Each structure stands twice: as C-alpha cells, then as structure tokens.
Amino acid sequence: MSQLNRVMGEQALQVLAIAVSMFDRLVLTAILYRVWGAENFEAWTIAASIAGMSTLLELGFSLYMANKLVRDVETGQDRAADRTIAIANVTSLISGILMALGAATLLLFWTLPEETKVLRSEITWGAILLGLQSGLRVTSAPSGAVYRAYRQYSRYISLMMCGDLMRVLVTAIVVMAGGGIVLAALSATMTALLIHVVAVRVDAYRRFGSRSIVFAIPTGSEFRQSLAVSAAIGAQTVPLNTLAYLPVLVLNSRVATAGVISAFVLQRTLSGLPRSLLQSLGTIVGQECARSIAANDIPAAINTLRLACNAFSVMSGLAVGILLAGGRELMIAWTNDASIFNFKYMLVAAAPMLLASASVVMHNVLACTNKAYLPAAGRMLQLALTLMIVGIAPTRSPTLDMFLALSLAELIGYVPIAYYAGARLLPDAGFMFHLRQVLLTIMSAVIGAVITLASIRVIEPQSTLAIFTAFVLVAIGCAASFWGLALTPAIRREANRKWINPMLRAFKS
C-alpha cells in the first residue's frame, strides 16, 4: 500500500473518530446543560477540570515510547522493539496510577468557593471517578504504540472510537434517566475500563502475541534516556493540559455570578472544537513526517508538511468564518440559549486559529520526532504569559480577560518558538512558508463568512430545523471551497478514484 493511500485511509478513519469526538463535545455537553441546568453543569465542569489536572502526571513517557518503538521497527531492531514495548507497559501503568490518585490529592488542597460548596460531595466523587477514567485510558497507550509501529494504527483508532462512543452513549442515557454527577462519572469510568483497557489489550494480544503484554522495569541508563526526552514532551503537555483545565478553576475562584462558568465553557468549547478536530487529524500527519524523517527521506517529509498545512489553513479559515458569522445560530441550536454567544469573545478566542493555523501541524511533527525541547519552552512561556495577563488584567470582564490571555499568550509565547523549531527540523518551513499559510487562512475565513451569511440570509432560520438546513448549505459551500483551495490535482484524482467514483457508481446502480 502506498504512503498516500495508507495516510488517506487512516485520515478517513480518523474523521469517523472525530465525529465521535464531536458527539461527545457537542451532543453530550448539550444534554448535560439542558437536563441539569447551569448549576449542575458547572459542578460537572469543575469536577472534570480537577480530574483533567491529574493528566499533568503522565509526564510524556507514552509519546516518547511510541516514537522510539516506531524507530526500532523501521530500522529492523526487533529485540529493541520488544524491550521498548515491555518498558512502555510499566511506565504507562505507573502514570495511570499517579493520574488516578492525582485528582483525589488535588481535592485536598483546592478550596471551593462558598457558592460551590453546596455540591461539594458531587464534585469530589465526580472528580475522583473521572480521574480514574483518565488513568485507565493511559494504561492502553502501549497497545496504541504497537498498532502504530506495525502500521495497523487504524485498528487502534477504531477500538478507541468505539469505546468513546459507548462512553458517551451510556453517560447520556444515565443523565437523561435522571442520574446525577456521580452516577454519570461512574458509568463513564466503567465503560472506559471495559473497552479502552480490556478490549484493546485483548485485541492487541490476539494480533501481536504476548509481546504486547510483557512488562520490564527499565535500567538506570534506559530510564535516564527516556526521562531526558519525556521531560521535554511532558514540559510541553503540562502547560497544554493546565491551560485546558485551569481557567475553569480560576474563574470559579474569582466569579460568584451563576452562569459565568457555563457561558465560558460553552463558548470556549464551540470556538475550540475546530482546533481539536484538526489536532486529531494532525496526529497522522506528524506520524508520517516522523516516519519519513526516520527513514532519512526529507523531501517526502517536506511534501507531507506542505500539503497538510495547506489543508489545515483552509479548514481553519473556513471554521473561523463560520463561527464569527453563524456562531449565534449555532449556539441556539446547541443549547437553546442565544445569550451565551458573544461575538467579541468568539473573535478573541479564534485569533490563534486565524493567525497560526500551521501551529497545529507543527506541534504534531515536533512531538512525533522527539524534538520537544524548544516547543516545551514555548509552552512554558505561553503558560507564564497567560497567568501574567490574567493577573494584571482588570476584573470588569473576567471572561474576556481569560480569552484574551489564552489567545495572546499562544500567539506571542508558543507560536514563534514552535515555528523556529520546525524550520530547524525542515528548513523549507521558514517565514515565507508560514506567511503564505496566514494569508490562505484569512482568505478562507472571508469565504467561510460569506457562505455562512448568504446561507442564513436565504434560509432565515427561526427554528432548530431551519438552522440545520442553513448549515447544510454552509457545509456544501465550504466543502467545495476546500476541494478547490486545499487539495492538489493529484490528491483530487486519487480521491475520485478511490472514494468518489465508487460511491457514484454504487448510487447509480
């Protein structure tokens, strides 16, 4: 199978996984907000944020071991590959235990404001159970590394996708049946245990034999070597996870008004959803670039990066245009509450996606090649700048201050350093390369906004069904724009041959 066919196949499956992620972040969030109301939804969000902070204890070992395993397999070092798998099983187990205990430990030191103490018990148990869920997911990471190394990553994506879908469905059913925060967290954790751990491990054993479940304690030199790189990866993921979860806890400590946290979380979820989806797609791109670099095929790595950045810039721009022009209608369809949408908040939150779309791809490329030191410094600077801006900003609008701090810190703290690190790895990815991506993103944003405004003007949506119809038109227009702006003629021909033409023939028959 050619590299292009394999990458396109894995990306197609990744799109299905992304659909499940959208179901989680959009459908489940809407159910929680509509069924529980703002107060319980905020309590759930606080519990999830406390549990999320426990992911800081993963320390980057999983990604380092996965990258090392790919290198061992690609260079034919079978005994080294078996040793890497065994060590990865131990480090992931330790990380999972630490994460499971991390949420409970954080609760000992985190003081909830008076307004939140009414739901203290629910927040406490919810955080503990969700922290356990995070720990369980990490323990399956070595299996994912084996699938990736032996070019069966699509199988792993399928299993994890099924687990995520079952977790979301079970949690949604429990909530709609009247279950509270603790019961919802318990159902999500048990589902993760059965599929993300048991099912994945069993399938890996059936495909790769006992080598996938062997455990080995690293020697002193192996531990020091892995720690040297993992610390840099962890130094990059720690700020990312902190920035993902800490803002909710900071707002909870600074704002007493009910509904502020809900509005922040919902608006941030909507504005961040496109980047999360692109980040998932970027994982495959990063892996392919790393594979080409490991094989010393630099031209292939540069070509993959160029094609990916073009596609990501167009998708980012179209998404920004849709959010700015149709964000209010999306919020109504999602939560049935138009008051949550704020154009100023959305514009500020979407600024990194508009001005630094290629950073999503570069993040994955650098992570998958274990070139994490400079990006780690950038993430640390981003975190420090975020905390500094939040600390010195006036408190007249804490929500706007938080969005401004998050966006500014990324643009001036992380992005320049990540781009510099990428240019050192692949010299063709220099200043002019990224300037072209910014211009392409802005042009795509204008196109996306025009398509969205025109669709809304034509449909004049007054109901959820009408909003859905309008955005079907938006999706069609944006898909046509993406086809023309992002894809090269060779990729269009391959897509026609492999997918579109067979579907058309099947439809005609």
Side-chain angles (χ1 to χ4, degrees):
M1 182 185 295
S2 69
Q3 183 195 42
L4 178 60
N5 286 337
R6 178 165 52 81
V7 172
M8 290 177 69
E10 290 183 353
Q11 288 287 30
L13 190 58
Q14 193 82 338
V15 169
L16 293 178
I18 287 170
V20 175
S21 176
M22 288 181 65
F23 188 78
D24 184 355
R25 302 188 65 178
L26 292 178
V27 179
L28 182 58
T29 299
I31 291 172
L32 296 179
Y33 183 77
R34 290 177 181 235
V35 174
W36 282 346
E39 185 179 16
N40 279 339
F41 177 76
E42 289 186 355
W44 170 269
T45 302
I46 294 167
S49 297
I50 293 173
M53 292 296 290
S54 68
T55 60
L56 305 183
L57 300 173
E58 196 276 329
L59 303 177
F61 282 105
S62 297
L63 183 56
Y64 166 75
M65 290 297 177
N67 295 340
K68 185 177 185 302
L69 181 59
V70 169
R71 187 168 62 250
D72 292 341
V73 171
E74 289 295 317
T75 54
Q77 301 180 57
D78 293 336
R79 293 185 63 183
D82 290 344
R83 177 71 179 173
T84 299
I85 295 171
I87 294 174
N89 283 325
V90 172
T91 57
S92 68
L93 180 61
I94 295 173
S95 297
I97 293 172
L98 289 175
M99 289 170 62
L101 297 175
T105 304
L106 182 59
L107 286 164
L108 297 176
F109 301 97
W110 189 267
T111 302
L112 295 172
E114 200 64 37
E115 294 77 9
T116 313
K117 288 184 177 178
V118 178
L119 296 170
R120 171 83 196 204
S121 177
E122 286 81 357
I123 292 174
T124 299
W125 285 107
I128 292 173
L129 289 169
L130 293 175
L132 177 60
Q133 177 191 328
S134 299
L136 290 171
R137 190 181 183 99
V138 166
T139 60
S140 69
S143 298
V146 176
Y147 284 104
R148 172 188 162 192
Y150 291 97
R151 307 196 180 200
Q152 298 185 40
Y153 194 62
S154 58
R155 176 76 177 183
Y156 178 71
I157 295 174
S158 300
L159 292 171
M160 298 302 286
M161 177 179 63
C162 290
D164 286 333
L165 181 60
M166 288 300 299
R167 173 182 55 80
V168 173
L169 288 174
V170 169
T171 305
I173 291 171
V174 168
V175 171
M176 289 188 291
I181 294 171
V182 176
L183 191 57
L186 178 61
S187 63
T189 302
M190 292 305 297
T191 306
L193 172 63
L194 291 174
I195 300 181
H196 289 157
V197 178
V198 177
V200 169
R201 284 288 186 177
V202 169
D203 187 76
Y205 177 78
R206 291 175 60 189
R207 285 176 171 268
F208 308 108
S210 60
R211 64 189 308 189
S212 66
I213 57 173
V214 173
F215 292 78
I217 298 175
T219 64
S221 61
E222 289 172 330
F223 178 75
R224 286 190 296 272
Q225 180 183 359
S226 62
L227 183 62
V229 180
S230 298
I233 297 174
Q236 188 172 182
T237 57
V238 164
L240 278 175
N241 290 335
T242 302
L243 291 169
Y245 300 109
L246 187 61
V248 169
L249 302 179
V250 172
L251 283 177
N252 179 237
S253 66
R254 300 181 67 181
V255 180
T257 306
V260 172
I261 294 177
S262 296
F264 171 78
V265 170
L266 293 171
Q267 187 112 336
R268 191 185 188 196
T269 299
L270 185 61
S271 64
L273 183 63
R275 293 198 83 191
S276 298
L277 303 183
L278 293 175
Q279 187 70 49
S280 299
L281 289 172
T283 302
I284 303 295
V285 177
Q287 291 172 2
E288 287 306 311
C289 283
R291 193 184 301 275
S292 298
I293 292 171
N296 202 29
D297 191 355
I298 303 302
I302 293 173
N303 185 58
T304 300
L305 179 67
R306 178 178 56 81
L307 294 175
C309 285
N310 286 343
F312 278 47
S313 294
V314 174
M315 288 188 287
S316 295
L318 292 172
V320 171
I322 293 171
L323 289 174
L324 294 178
R328 180 179 178 277
E329 285 73 19
L330 287 173
M331 193 65 75
I332 293 173
W334 185 28
T335 66
N336 199 32
D337 188 354
S339 65
I340 295 176
F341 180 76
N342 185 298
F343 180 84
K344 189 187 300 183
Y345 296 169
M346 185 63 71
L347 179 61
V348 174
M353 191 161 51
L354 184 65
L355 301 176
S357 59
S359 66
V360 174
V361 181
M362 200 59 68
H363 165 85
N364 284 287
V365 172
L366 293 169
C368 291
T369 52
N370 282 341
K371 304 294 183 181
Y373 292 100
L374 281 174
R379 290 299 186 191
M380 286 295 186
L381 179 58
Q382 178 185 351
L383 176 59
L385 288 173
T386 301
L387 297 176
M388 183 187 72
I389 295 171
V390 169
I392 65 176
T395 57
R396 290 190 298 272
S397 178
T399 304
L400 180 59
D401 294 344
M402 186 63 71
F403 277 125
L404 190 63
L406 291 168
S407 294
L408 275 179
E410 180 176 356
L411 288 173
I412 65 179
Y414 170 71
V415 171
I417 296 178
Y419 284 177
Y420 171 73
R424 290 183 60 184
L425 182 65
L426 298 171
D428 284 8
F431 175 78
M432 294 305 299
F433 176 89
H434 292 293
L435 179 60
R436 286 193 294 269
Q437 301 305 320
V438 172
L439 296 176
L440 181 59
T441 307
I442 293 174
M443 181 178 68
S444 301
V446 173
I447 293 173
V450 170
I451 293 173
T452 304
L453 290 173
S455 300
I456 292 174
R457 180 66 62 88
V458 169
I459 300 297
E460 295 184 355
Q462 301 296 324
S463 64
T464 301
L465 180 60
I467 293 173
F468 175 78
T469 303
F471 279 95
V472 168
L473 295 179
V474 172
I476 294 172
C478 288
S481 301
F482 176 81
W483 184 265
L485 290 173
L487 303 183
T488 64
I491 293 179
R492 286 199 292 267
R493 286 194 298 269
E494 184 68 20
N496 279 326
R497 183 191 66 80
K498 188 173 183 180
W499 290 314
I500 297 177
N501 290 338
M503 285 191 293
L504 289 175
R505 286 194 295 268
F507 178 75
K508 290 178 181 179
S509 63

